[in-house]
Amino acid sequence: MIVRSVILGVGAYLPANIVSNAELSKRVDTTDEWITERTGIKQRHVAAEGQFTSHLAIEAGRAAMEMAGIKSSELDLLIVATTTPDNTFPATAAKVQAVIGRPGIPAFDIQAVCSGFVYSLAVADNFIKTSQVKTALVIGAETLSRFLDWTDRSSCVLFGDGAGAVVLQAAEGQGTSADRGVLSTHLHSDGRYADILYADGGVSSTQTTGLLRMKGKEVFRHAVVNLADTAREAVEANGVTFADVDWLVPHQANSRILDSTAEKLGLSADKVIVTVDKHANTSAASIPLALHQGVTDGRIKRGQLLLMETMGGGFTWGSALVRF
Ligand code: COA
């Protein structure tokens, strides 16, 4: 018998305000056609004034706890993956904890940009596997709209705001790929590429938060290679094949990246959960938002095998194989 981290509940929250490509084209020199053709994005949600990352995270976390049927008194660990925290400190997780968490449990943020959710899932899974905690709330939440250069049309059209969450709980498994729960996680980083996707500011360097900067073509080139590699290592580590994978639940950066990764892996497009058209790239929130979409529309069913993969600034990248 071994301990597995089973996803008991999934939650999501998207700000009410939706900005279409057409609306964006009134603000920057772009068109719906260009954005759709190059990225697959049709719209994005944008947080209202006074609505912070923690507010989005709280809503998503609550929804995940409700689906899981657990109360905050049962939580042992709270992690928020975010690059857009409310404050430099305390951690956004602490602010979430004050509203829906349990006082006294560890609560902290993880900053791995678009890979933040997979990184956080891995950390929570390891806490659970080593029996340090039984139940964990893992949230990916972002207000990227606050962090964009709205005069840079090559980046500002790509991102959106939102939050997604999962509740993980320890359960006994046999140690095989038939177990329910997180089967394995795989994390990577290569800081040599830090200047390809980054913020041009920070507490220590400029005493400002900076704005998102990106060399889009280079990110694209690395993304398709890294995503396919980490997806392969996840299936190989568990002795399964891509034919056994029911759903690819990828980070939602760009539909062309999703298509070429799926093609490289031999996965048909109807096995990929796609939300980038409606949410744009919500960084650490995108995988749990996609997971939530697949679960609530009935495509993702209990017992199915899910492959999550992601790539973000750093570069960071990684994957998780999960039996839902
Ligand atoms: N609207 C209209 N034209 C735009 C535009 C926009 N929003 N953004 C850029 N352009 C123009 C450029 O100025 C350029 O014009 P030029 O040829 O006259 O110089 C032209 O479109 C092509 O730009 P280019 O950067 O070569 O386009 P691309 O095919 O590489 O697509 C991205 C750009 C950003 C969509 C693409 O590189 C990408 O998706 N990269 C990955 C980004 C990503 O996913 N980042 C997050 C990872 S977590």
Side-chain angles (χ1 to χ4, degrees):
M1 288 288 179
I2 68 157
V3 180
R4 295 286 194 191
S5 312
V6 171
I7 298 181
L8 283 191
V10 186
Y13 179 79
L14 290 157
N17 181 25
I18 295 173
V19 177
S20 67
N21 291 345
E23 287 170 81
L24 211 56
S25 67
K26 292 179 196 149
R27 202 167 163 181
V28 288
D29 181 18
T30 189
T31 59
D32 175 42
E33 292 71 33
W34 193 95
I35 301 172
T36 305
E37 191 194 314
R38 302 285 175 127
T39 72
I41 296 165
K42 298 297 288 181
Q43 62 174 50
R44 70 284 296 140
H45 292 250
V46 174
E49 210 182 317
Q51 195 173 34
F52 302 156
T53 294
S54 66
H55 301 141
L56 276 49
I58 287 163
E59 296 301 327
R62 261 199 192 117
M65 285 160 67
E66 195 177 313
M67 178 178 164
I70 66 141
K71 297 189 278 298
S72 55
S73 57
E74 294 168 76
L75 287 180
D76 304 311
L77 173 68
L78 200 166
I79 304 178
V80 174
T82 189
T83 302
T84 48
D86 293 14
N87 300 84
T88 303
F89 82 88
T92 301
K95 298 183 86 173
V96 173
Q97 178 183 26
V99 182
I100 59 166
R102 179 155 71 100
I105 65 169
F108 54 87
D109 289 358
I110 284 187
Q111 211 290 70
V113 208
C114 297
S115 306
F117 180 76
V118 170
Y119 265 64
S120 301
L121 189 75
V123 171
D125 178 45
N126 280 292
F127 268 100
I128 289 172
K129 280 197 301 210
T130 52
S131 300
Q132 286 195 63
V133 309
K134 185 174 171 224
T135 308
L137 177 59
V138 177
I139 305 173
E142 303 279 13
T143 48
L144 286 158
S145 62
R146 307 260 155 79
F147 178 52
L148 300 172
D149 178 352
W150 288 97
T151 65
D152 175 13
R153 65 178 182 170
S154 67
S155 63
C156 72
V157 302
L158 303 177
F159 298 91
D161 301 339
V166 296
V167 170
L168 297 173
Q169 193 164 68
E172 278 186 354
Q174 302 296 322
T176 72
S177 62
D179 288 349
R180 265 183 74 199
V182 177
L183 300 180
S184 67
T185 56
H186 308 269
L187 305 181
H188 300 279
S189 178
D190 190 339
R192 290 175 300 172
Y193 298 102
D195 62 346
I196 292 179
L197 180 54
Y198 66 104
D200 62 359
V203 178
S204 181
S205 54
T206 60
Q207 298 80 58
T208 64
T209 54
L211 296 174
L212 185 142
R213 303 292 172 206
M214 181 180 72
K215 294 177 186 155
K217 265 196 197 318
E218 288 183 57
V219 175
F220 195 103
R221 200 162 48 80
H222 284 277
V224 288
V225 174
N226 290 345
L227 288 169
D229 285 352
T230 193
R232 280 192 199 98
E233 72 180 332
V235 298
E236 281 165 15
N238 292 283
V240 298
T241 68
F242 287 109
D244 300 311
V245 172
D246 293 297
W247 294 104
L248 184 65
V249 188
H251 170 51
Q252 310 279 323
N254 178 317
S255 61
R256 288 188 298 147
I257 294 179
L258 299 187
D259 292 345
S260 39
T261 310
E263 198 186 312
K264 261 177 175 259
L265 303 176
L267 282 167
S268 65
D270 59 4
K271 279 185 146 192
V272 185
I273 305 286
V274 179
T275 54
V276 70
D277 53 335
K278 297 205 168 58
H279 303 168
N281 181 345
T282 57
S283 190
S286 89
I287 288 181
L289 277 170
L291 176 63
H292 180 264
Q293 179 62 48
V295 169
T296 50
D297 68 23
R299 279 178 294 170
I300 296 178
K301 296 181 179 58
R302 284 291 178 198
Q304 287 189 326
L305 196 58
L306 314 180
L307 175 57
M308 301 171 181
E309 36 103 301
T310 190
M311 156 94 185
F315 288 142
T316 54
W317 67 102
S319 59
L321 196 70
V322 180
R323 190 169 294 284
F324 188 67

